[in-house]
Amino acid sequence: MAETEEKVVMTPKSKTPTSTILVIERKAVTIPEPSDKIHVAGGDHTGIIINKEKVYENGLSEPCHAQLEFCVYLVSAANGTHTREARALRFWFKPEVSLHECPHEAQAFFRELVSPQDFPKDYVGFIKKIIKLMQNKYHLLKVLEVELRQEGTGPPPPAFIDDSIANQTQFSEQKVLDMIENAYPNPLTVEDFVTAGPWSKAEIKDALESLEEKGLTRPISDGLYIRQHSVDTQVVKQMPTLCSSRQPTIAVVTALYCEKQAVDAMMDNQETYVRFTTVGK
């Protein structure tokens, strides 16, 4: 008698010119012989079986325990056409999972599947990630039905249009402040702003004057501007020598100005020194 083992099996359920439905299920099967109709995965993918023909009969009569849908835009490498595709996931869990827990399990699966850090870039990668999540982590997921349905082609939606050009050319006082904070504790000159964006010197000087009036920036020498910190900051050419009782005992390294503000807010009796030199003088 042939031995049966629990495997993750993917089988086509239906296919039309604009839609595909696949069923991925966990079930005990007799290991079939590989053929042109069945692929038995090996190596890192051992335990996965791919049926290449539509032979699916799942026998599920109850409604799915949870369903989630989202849309993606597929971009043709040939002509750049955008195709909107709706993707639906229907979940059936093992009896050990209560109906109350099913939506939470489905949402956890979905969050991992669409994580921006490693969202699959193509159809094969998307299906592969679903299978591997089901095989390696979500062991209580019994059946997952995946429907891919194309809904038409056309230009990309407004939210997908690259607005980098607009961001580069749009001038604002906030953008000037952001650049100063990103450079802190280094100062910036008017020329630095002109180089960063196609802005006029007059616009930049007006913004710097406005920020100075608000107490957000200050000049430290002719043509050099720095962020005005809420804590008194002493600009020195040489760091002062501190007696042992005033020596720092810990170091907190921050990368962003907002992080420095958060750290400073937790400290009492602080002193801030910034060593400033002008190259060539």
Side-chain angles (χ1 to χ4, degrees):
M1 183 176 179
E3 184 179 354
T4 61
E5 297 180 17
E6 186 175 84
K7 304 292 182 182
V8 174
V9 182
M10 188 195 83
T11 306
K13 183 176 181 180
S14 67
K15 185 174 179 61
T16 71
T18 59
S19 68
T20 299
I21 298 179
L22 305 171
V23 174
I24 304 165
E25 58 185 326
R26 186 189 308 278
K27 63 179 181 178
V29 297
T30 301
I31 306 301
E33 291 294 328
S35 68
D36 58 346
K37 298 179 180 179
I38 297 176
H39 173 70
V40 180
D44 293 339
H45 306 305
T46 298
I48 296 173
I49 298 175
I50 307 297
N51 285 319
K52 301 178 183 180
E53 287 191 342
K54 189 178 74 173
V55 294
Y56 183 72
E57 293 292 341
N58 66 351
L60 288 172
S61 58
E62 63 176 327
C64 62
H65 299 150
Q67 177 170 332
L68 294 168
E69 295 189 27
F70 67 106
C71 290
V72 298
Y73 283 85
L74 308 177
V75 183
S76 169
N79 54 27
T81 301
H82 287 65
T83 300
R84 176 185 167 97
E85 183 175 85
R87 296 183 176 181
L89 306 175
R90 303 180 186 94
F91 299 81
W92 285 265
F93 292 91
K94 291 183 176 181
E96 300 94 290
V97 183
S98 68
L99 292 178
H100 174 72
E101 295 172 328
C102 288
H104 300 288
E105 289 292 317
Q107 289 170 5
F109 183 98
F110 180 76
R111 281 195 297 269
E112 286 203 53
L113 176 63
V114 300
S115 170
Q117 285 73 30
D118 57 353
F119 185 79
K121 301 299 183 183
D122 54 29
Y123 171 81
V124 174
F126 179 71
I127 299 302
K128 178 181 175 182
K129 187 173 182 181
I130 289 176
I131 293 174
K132 296 301 288 185
L133 282 173
M134 188 170 177
Q135 179 190 28
N136 297 329
K137 186 170 183 179
Y138 292 88
H139 303 290
L140 295 178
L141 180 55
K142 181 177 177 59
V143 178
L144 179 60
E145 187 175 274
V146 182
E147 181 179 2
L148 311 170
R149 185 178 65 257
Q150 294 186 4
E151 298 184 332
T153 61
F160 282 72
I161 297 176
D162 185 4
D163 60 352
S164 59
I165 297 177
N167 287 338
Q168 291 174 4
T169 58
Q170 184 178 6
F171 177 81
S172 69
E173 187 177 295
Q174 182 61 46
K175 192 174 290 291
V176 172
L177 181 61
D178 289 343
M179 288 184 62
I180 290 177
E181 290 185 349
N182 290 337
Y184 186 87
N186 300 310
L188 293 179
T189 67
V190 172
E191 293 299 329
D192 291 327
F193 294 101
V194 173
T195 302
W199 310 321
S200 69
K201 290 185 178 181
E203 288 178 319
I204 295 168
K205 288 180 179 179
D206 288 344
L208 289 170
E209 289 177 3
S210 176
L211 291 170
E212 186 177 349
E213 291 175 358
K214 296 175 182 177
L216 297 175
T217 64
R218 66 186 178 94
I220 56 176
S221 70
D222 187 27
L224 289 172
Y225 296 86
I226 194 171
R227 180 66 159 89
Q228 174 62 52
H229 195 40
S230 56
V231 177
D232 289 339
T233 301
Q234 301 179 52
V235 179
V236 296
K237 292 185 177 181
Q238 295 293 334
M239 286 296 180
T241 301
L242 303 178
C243 62
S244 58
S245 62
R246 297 175 60 199
Q247 288 286 344
T249 55
I250 63 170
V252 181
V253 180
T254 60
L256 302 175
Y257 180 78
C258 59
E259 295 173 343
K260 171 178 168 51
Q261 287 182 306
V263 172
D264 287 344
M266 296 184 289
M267 294 183 176
D268 296 324
N269 302 321
Q270 58 178 287
E271 293 177 291
T272 301
Y273 296 94
V274 175
R275 182 173 177 268
F276 168 66
T277 60
T278 302
V279 177
K281 291 187 179 181

